[in-house]
Amino acid sequence: MAENGTDCDQRRTGMIKEQHNGNFADSTLLGERKRRDREERLNIVLWRQPLVTLQYFFLETLINLKEWTIKLWHRRSILVAFLLMLAVLTATYYVEGRHQQYVRYMEKKFFWCAYWVGLGILSSVGLGTGLHTFLLYLGPHIASVTLAAYECNSVNFPEPPYPDQIICPDEEATDGSISLWAIISKVRLEACMWGAGTAIGELPPYFMARAARLSGAEPDDEEYQEFEEMLEHAETAQDFASRAKLAVQNLVQKVGFFGILACASIPNPLFDLAGITCGHFLVPFWTFFGATLIGKAVIKMHIQKLFVIITFSKHIVEQMVSLIGAIPSIGPSLQKPFQEYLEAQRIKLHHKSDSGVPQGENWLSWMFEKLVIVMVCYFILSIINSMAQSYAKRLQQKMYSEEKTK
């Protein structure tokens, strides 16, 4: 009897080992297949497979339009209320009356704020790559206002043409009358709106991780899979990048609102991980978004504004130009275009646009304009590639589901 019991235990142990080895082999094969599928998707880009990429992009666009249409139909009561409100606003906009001056003022402010919020969202979301709108738009705008404020000794630029064009006011101001706080106040609205846009752009990682945790599904998202692998190997992490990610995750998880606020208040390339962490651990929406909004639109934005304003203050710019001229051999040739650009800006600030002064183009401004065009084109290409890869992922997931049903 004892021998029979021993034989049964051995057979049972052998079956368990075989089952475990089979599951391990299946998981290994599945992981290897997912890795190959991901590499295959990454090869679907315009410069490698242009026809396939464009075809998948258009098909993914049609699917997204269909899904959005279905969602709008399910929320048709909200859609009807929105259309009614839009009809009332349209009637208010076109009916003549004393209210038109307020309508024009609100229209100007609304589009100005929407412009900067949209740029903030583009900078944060990116759909595969972020369009660095602070470096391309907000930073240069703050720098232009700073240079103009020190040249004009005032921030009371005539409106119009401000903000499309900056010219000095007609009244004379005494030298040294401009203050740092006056420049900060002048650009506060656009800076805060841009910061609010970046906060809105941080919501997709949060919602993705939250939905995955609640449903128990495992989304095929590289950042989320990296986050789960980091949790599994938290104790054995050795490299600096892994320890930095773990520090962000622990700060957000343990400190909560103030941890999220601290991560959002400083330039932090790992903040996407904070959003995934909050979604994974089911942090309440308003805790996450409130801390992110305060951190990005108020605290971080004022830090970035101060940096740009101080960097482009009059004495700092003059010192930087003189330092460029001190570079051996090539210094004077590099210094000349900067001096010409600053002089051209000073002339432009003190003349009206219709005064007949010739507007020359400096090679620095020409290069910056071309850089903006290249960055925008690259951003559009990244959107096309990302949507084509999303459609390829749909096809692969459909193939997985068909194989499971067989």
Side-chain angles (χ1 to χ4, degrees):
M1 293 291 291
E3 291 178 358
N4 292 335
T6 303
D7 292 339
C8 290
D9 290 340
Q10 289 177 351
R11 282 197 299 270
R12 191 181 299 112
T13 304
M15 291 173 64
I16 292 172
K17 285 183 177 179
E18 288 177 3
Q19 185 178 3
H20 175 74
N21 291 335
N23 291 337
F24 180 76
D26 290 342
S27 62
T28 303
L29 290 174
L30 182 61
E32 182 66 21
R33 182 176 177 180
K34 284 187 175 182
R35 185 186 63 81
R36 288 198 307 267
D37 288 343
R38 190 178 298 114
E39 291 178 354
E40 183 182 335
R41 289 200 306 270
L42 292 177
N43 285 326
I44 301 176
V45 289
L46 281 169
W47 45 89
R48 290 180 182 173
Q49 304 180 52
L51 296 179
V52 174
T53 303
L54 289 174
Q55 179 188 3
Y56 283 10
F57 166 72
F58 286 119
L59 292 172
E60 180 70 13
T61 302
L62 292 175
I63 291 174
N64 286 331
L65 289 175
K66 180 183 176 181
E67 290 176 350
W68 294 340
T69 304
I70 293 172
K71 289 179 180 179
L72 286 176
W73 176 251
H74 289 314
R75 295 170 176 81
R76 50 188 176 274
S77 58
I78 299 175
L79 180 62
V80 170
F82 175 77
L83 291 176
L84 288 174
M85 184 180 68
L86 186 62
V88 172
L89 291 176
T90 303
T92 305
Y93 182 81
Y94 286 104
V95 173
E96 295 295 333
R98 293 182 177 180
H99 65 282
Q100 283 298 321
Q101 57 179 332
Y102 304 106
V103 170
R104 297 288 179 257
Y105 175 80
M106 292 300 296
E107 177 190 16
K108 179 182 176 182
K109 288 296 182 184
F110 173 78
F111 283 111
W112 183 242
C113 293
Y115 172 75
W116 290 110
V117 170
L119 287 177
I121 293 173
L122 288 177
S123 184
S124 188
V125 175
L127 291 175
T129 177
L131 180 63
H132 303 289
T133 52
F134 182 85
L135 296 177
L136 296 179
Y137 295 97
L138 183 58
H141 173 71
I142 297 174
S144 299
V145 171
T146 303
L147 292 172
Y150 280 105
E151 180 63 27
C152 304
N153 291 309
S154 173
V155 293
N156 299 319
F157 310 125
E159 298 185 33
Y162 182 84
D164 297 325
Q165 181 186 357
I166 303 177
I167 58 175
C168 291
D170 293 331
E171 63 270 12
E172 293 290 333
T174 57
D175 290 340
S177 60
I178 193 66
S179 66
L180 183 67
W181 182 253
I183 302 174
I184 291 175
S185 301
K186 186 67 176 177
V187 295
R188 180 179 290 119
L189 177 63
E190 45 266 48
C192 290
M193 290 298 103
W194 184 88
T198 61
I200 295 171
E202 298 294 349
L203 293 179
Y206 169 83
F207 284 124
M208 179 270 299
R210 184 180 178 87
R213 181 66 184 273
L214 290 174
S215 64
E218 187 176 336
D220 191 10
D221 183 85
E222 292 182 12
E223 290 185 348
Y224 188 76
Q225 290 178 353
E226 183 182 349
F227 170 76
E228 288 193 326
E229 291 176 1
M230 184 189 68
L231 292 180
E232 292 175 1
H233 305 94
E235 297 179 357
T236 60
Q238 297 294 331
D239 58 297
F240 175 77
S242 298
R243 283 183 292 176
K245 292 176 181 179
L246 279 172
V248 171
Q249 183 255 324
N250 290 329
L251 180 65
V252 170
Q253 184 183 357
K254 294 178 180 179
V255 183
F257 179 89
F258 292 101
I260 303 168
L261 182 65
C263 290
S265 300
I266 57 174
N268 182 8
L270 301 177
F271 190 78
D272 278 351
L273 185 64
I276 293 174
T277 301
C278 291
H280 181 80
F281 291 105
L282 303 181
V283 173
F285 170 76
W286 286 111
T287 301
F288 170 72
F289 185 65
T292 304
L293 185 64
I294 295 171
K296 286 184 172 289
V298 180
I299 301 175
K300 179 184 174 183
M301 208 55 256
H302 276 82
I303 295 173
Q304 290 177 301
K305 272 194 302 182
L306 278 172
F307 176 78
V308 175
I309 291 171
I310 292 172
T311 302
F312 286 89
S313 58
K314 187 174 182 180
H315 62 286
I316 296 291
V317 171
E318 291 174 351
Q319 288 178 2
M320 289 171 61
V321 173
S322 62
L323 287 174
I324 291 173
I327 298 175
S329 302
I330 61 173
S333 59
L334 287 177
Q335 186 186 45
K336 184 178 179 181
F338 285 96
Q339 290 176 333
E340 291 176 351
Y341 176 77
L342 292 174
E343 185 62 28
Q345 296 305 307
R346 292 191 185 99
I347 295 173
K348 191 185 297 184
L349 288 170
H350 290 287
H351 290 82
K352 305 291 184 183
S353 58
D354 57 349
S355 60
V357 177
Q359 301 290 332
E361 185 177 32
N362 185 270
W363 70 269
L364 286 175
S365 59
W366 182 87
M367 283 187 62
F368 183 76
E369 289 175 1
K370 299 303 178 282
L371 175 64
V372 172
I373 293 172
V374 170
M375 289 292 291
V376 171
C377 291
Y378 178 71
F379 179 67
I380 295 171
L381 291 177
S382 70
I383 293 176
I384 295 174
N385 293 335
S386 178
M387 292 184 68
Q389 292 167 9
S390 297
Y391 184 77
K393 184 169 71 173
R394 288 180 189 270
L395 295 179
Q396 291 169 353
Q397 289 174 343
K398 183 180 179 182
M399 191 181 300
Y400 287 151
S401 61
E402 289 177 352
E403 289 177 356
K404 287 180 180 179
T405 55
K406 288 181 180 179

